Amino acid sequence: MAAEHELAPKIETAGRERGIVAALGIKRDSVAERDRQRPGPAPRRDHRRAGGEHSAVREVDPYAVAGLIRQESEFNPGARSAYAYGLMQLRPSTGAMLAKQEGLRAPSARSLMEPDLSIRLGTRYLRGQLNQWDGDWVKTLAAYNAGP
């Protein structure tokens, strides 16, 4: 049996995952039974609504967005790599480009770790890549990962 200190990070990740999946508008009963029963904090209502809206407005499958978030950040809003930040792992330069398209001020690296902004900008970028690659998900995801 795993020690309590080994389980804590897994429980925290599971809670974030459940919240993000809900935020993307994925219905709870469509997620596997074991995932539904993971402990963790309840998602904020405004975050849930915003995430689902961004996926719907961009006409991007929320399951694909959830999968991308899982791969990019493991559902950790504070995730950082060498140059990218947040759930959807956006670079500040990419965030600035996308924010301009959205009519927003250029975000700081710290603000890219805000889940709503990360999903808003990340789904815009994902939709742009899908359009550029004529809906080819393999090319789209490779291009998303490479960045502009």
Side-chain angles (χ1 to χ4, degrees):
M1 181 161 177
E4 185 176 320
H5 71 278
E6 294 173 352
L7 292 177
K10 292 178 183 177
I11 291 169
E12 183 180 338
T13 298
R16 285 192 304 261
E17 179 178 340
R18 188 175 73 196
I20 299 303
V21 167
L24 291 168
I26 297 172
K27 295 195 181 341
R28 185 178 171 106
D29 59 352
S30 68
V31 180
E33 181 68 26
R34 67 176 175 78
D35 292 337
R36 289 197 323 242
Q37 294 180 0
R38 290 179 175 174
R44 293 187 349 232
R45 277 184 192 254
D46 60 330
H47 181 76
R48 188 177 334 152
R49 183 177 59 249
E53 287 173 5
H54 296 311
S55 291
V57 166
R58 311 263 193 252
E59 296 180 358
V60 177
D61 181 356
Y63 292 97
V65 175
L68 179 62
I69 291 171
R70 166 62 177 86
Q71 185 62 32
E72 291 289 332
S73 66
E74 294 186 349
F75 296 96
N76 179 359
R80 297 178 222 193
S81 65
Y83 304 104
Y85 302 87
L87 290 172
M88 298 193 74
Q89 288 293 283
L90 299 170
R91 291 179 174 203
S93 59
T94 305
M97 174 189 75
L98 297 166
K100 184 176 181 180
Q101 294 170 7
E102 289 278 309
L104 302 173
R105 209 168 41 126
S108 65
R110 184 178 189 144
S111 66
L112 288 173
M113 291 188 272
E114 295 171 11
D116 183 58
L117 183 63
S118 184
I119 293 170
R120 180 177 182 175
L121 299 179
T123 55
R124 173 176 273 282
Y125 187 60
L126 183 61
R127 170 42 59 198
Q129 292 301 312
L130 273 167
N131 291 346
Q132 181 175 341
W133 298 106
D134 297 322
D136 183 324
W137 276 98
V138 173
K139 291 178 182 174
T140 295
L141 293 174
Y144 185 97
N145 187 263

